[in-house]
Amino acid sequence: MTARITILGAGPGGYVAAIRAAQLGAEVTLIERDNIGGVCLNWGCIPTKTIKTTTDLMAGLNKASELGLEIEGRATVNLDRLMRRKKEVIEAQTTGILKLLKSYKVRYLRGHGHVLDAQRVRVEPATGGPLEIVSDKLILATGSRPLALKAFPFDGRRILSSSDALNLQKIPASICIVGGGVIGCEFAFIFAGLGSRVVVVEALARLLPLPGIDQECSKVLEREMKKRRIQFLVNRVVEKAEIMEDRARVTIAASPFADEPKVKNAPPLLEEVETVLVSIGRDSNARGLGLEALGLEMDDRGWIAADARMETNIPGVYAIGDALGPAKVMLAHVASAEGLTAAENALGAGREMNYDVIPSAVFTTPEVGCVGLTEELARARGRDVRSEILHFRGLGKAQVLGEIAGHVKIVADRKSGRLVGVHIIGPHATDLIAEGTLAVRMGATLEDLASTIHAHPTLPEALMEVAHKALGAPIHSARETAGEAGRGH
Ligand code: FAD
């Protein structure tokens, strides 16, 4: 008999799981209460990067004279057109995914799903009466939503979530971004690019304070923010936001995590801004869906527990993506990889997710791309590693592009020379990290990277050159300055 699979949530986790399950011959029902594509397509990856493309182009045009191009006047933003383009990009993707689902004969239901038991889901469609879907296996891909602060909840006007910030009616003259993680930093460059005065407030000691992101990437990013007059405060928290008719007054106090006496004892700062964007993390969508009654294991914040096969404590019920919370990795490509794993296992495979080699991409200016272990993490795990850095300013292609800020850093096992981590901040770092990911995944050595001929002049040459440098024979560093930046080629 054909296996029946129900998938709740059609983000990059759920719709990818649906396609794989259908490819494997299952009868698939995919339930989504909002738009297909989830946060990633509608409120996350795609809209942010569409807007960033415009602000990057504008920044490029405004420095065109450096590249020998004279443009009369300055480039300015047409917000209506920009929002329309964002919508068009989303619609093109949405249409594509719906066509794919149709071609694989996935039954797509638009409505709110409620889990009755491991085999039955009740769907309340936008129009018409409720339906009951019966299946053999269930995949929960319900994702996440912006986490609000109790002290000043989202109102869509003065206090914005990341979703509100992507539906701009007007560019704010000033904005305070609460949280200097990936989403906060990406928005800082977006709003600065749109012309807003930006203040970022981060509770921990550095921007992008994620264990997988190298500290030196944070340092370069902080320097680049300063260059663009993006103000940031670390070791601080926004304690209060008083809402006024046309602005908000925020009180910025020492963070409870701050240990420096200078910060701890400093008086609170007051900042008046037009808007506040809260980007302090994500909240689970999984509460109140009937999962508690099912006895499904969840933590007190509603994040679902799943094993490496993506199966929950209830046999035949799988969970993937953001619904697993920060204990796993909350990224679109991870949700999709987990979706493939869950779909295959639901149909009899025995696959396990490997979280060791997951790239992250941060779309700031310059971009950040990281994979594998940082030097600190590797040492904390008892690994004997060494690292090497190559600055982009020594690379021909970076000079050609006029984008010389940043570096490539590699971390390798001291004895075997195997790469355990690659950390890039610089032009196109989010694309460059693909080579680093493959290298770490395949267990490549410094010698492998150095002896792979790279096309010239390209940015990936930085990976080859840093490997040469780590092997003690950098081609583009003068003998006496080997260990410093190269002289370019
Ligand atoms: P989601 O995308 O959250 O999808 C879950 C879906 O389930 C939603 O559509 C929801 O409506 C639906 N749902 C929930 N409950 C029910 C129910 N009861 N019935 C029916 N449907 C239901 N990640 C990257 O990798 N790269 C990036 O550049 C990136 N940028 C981001 C930028 C922003 C501003 C944000 C907020 C996130 C970004 N992310 C990025 C993270 C990425 O969007 C998420 O990791 C990804 O969307 C998670 O996919 P998912 O399928 O698990 O869940």
Side-chain angles (χ1 to χ4, degrees), residues 221-467:
L221 193 72
E222 290 172 2
R223 194 183 70 209
E224 293 300 311
M225 274 199 179
K226 279 185 193 154
K227 276 193 202 161
R228 287 166 182 77
R229 297 203 169 79
I230 299 173
Q231 197 191 338
F232 64 88
L233 297 157
V234 293
N235 287 315
R236 313 262 180 173
V237 289
V238 176
E239 210 172 50
K240 203 160 79 176
E242 293 163 68
I243 312 296
M244 290 177 270
E245 184 44 37
D246 57 349
R247 61 195 190 283
R249 183 185 294 135
V250 296
T251 308
I252 303 169
S255 159
F257 307 111
D259 45 16
E260 268 179 55
K262 208 175 90 195
V263 180
K264 259 173 135 174
N265 306 323
L269 304 167
L270 287 179
E271 193 60 69
E272 290 204 351
V273 286
E274 193 176 318
T275 327
V276 178
L277 165 63
V278 177
S279 56
I280 52 159
R282 307 288 297 171
D283 204 358
S284 174
N285 284 330
R287 281 170 297 208
L289 300 184
L291 303 175
E292 295 86 348
L294 194 65
L296 191 97
E297 195 185 331
M298 285 192 277
D299 71 10
D300 53 4
R301 290 189 56 201
W303 303 118
I304 303 173
D307 62 18
R309 298 178 63 254
M310 310 324 301
E311 197 164 14
T312 66
N313 62 317
I314 311 284
V317 179
Y318 296 78
I320 58 172
D322 277 15
L324 304 174
K328 293 281 165 39
V329 187
M330 297 173 81
L331 290 172
H333 44 285
V334 179
S336 299
E338 291 169 339
L340 296 177
T341 306
E344 291 176 20
N345 288 340
L347 291 162
R351 275 189 58 190
E352 292 201 344
M353 261 301 286
N354 176 357
Y355 292 93
D356 289 345
V357 190
I358 289 179
S360 12
V362 188
F363 294 80
T364 41
T365 310
E367 296 180 349
V368 179
C370 296
V371 70
L373 299 177
T374 61
E375 224 175 321
E376 295 75 34
L377 269 181
R379 296 220 166 94
R381 291 187 189 176
R383 304 275 304 257
D384 184 15
V385 292
R386 49 174 307 224
S387 71
E388 189 57 82
I389 277 193
L390 185 99
H391 295 275
F392 276 107
R393 62 173 176 266
L395 196 78
K397 184 62 186 277
Q399 293 284 352
V400 166
L401 295 173
E403 295 181 42
I404 57 170
H407 61 253
V408 175
K409 178 174 177 179
I410 49 175
V411 184
D413 185 273
R414 194 181 294 278
K415 228 178 173 172
S416 66
R418 277 191 202 290
L419 288 165
V420 299
V422 178
H423 304 272
I424 309 176
I425 181 160
H428 300 278
T430 60
D431 295 317
L432 290 175
I433 200 60
E435 180 174 346
T437 306
L438 191 64
V440 176
R441 169 91 168 80
M442 306 293 290
T445 60
L446 293 170
E447 181 57 43
D448 291 327
L449 204 53
S451 62
T452 300
I453 300 174
H454 285 64
H456 176 75
T458 62
L459 293 169
E461 284 178 284
L463 285 147
M464 175 181 68
E465 184 66 13
V466 73

Side-chain angles (χ1 to χ4, degrees), residues 26-93:
E27 200 176 277
V28 184
T29 304
L30 177 64
I31 304 163
E32 171 57 56
R33 65 181 175 198
D34 204 327
N35 287 348
I36 191 121
V39 171
C40 169
L41 179 49
N42 299 285
W43 311 107
C45 326
I46 299 297
T48 45
K49 275 83 238 184
T50 307
I51 300 176
K52 182 78 176 10
T53 300
T54 297
T55 55
D56 283 352
L57 179 61
M58 192 166 78
L61 289 174
N62 285 331
K63 62 166 198 180
S65 62
E66 280 174 36
L67 305 191
L69 194 64
E70 294 308 335
I71 298 177
E72 299 253 317
R74 284 182 68 77
T76 54
V77 182
N78 177 338
L79 192 62
D80 286 347
R81 183 68 195 99
L82 173 55
M83 290 295 132
R84 211 161 61 229
R85 174 159 191 271
K86 182 204 75 174
K87 203 165 156 252
E88 286 160 6
V89 172
I90 294 173
E91 277 170 6
Q93 294 278 105

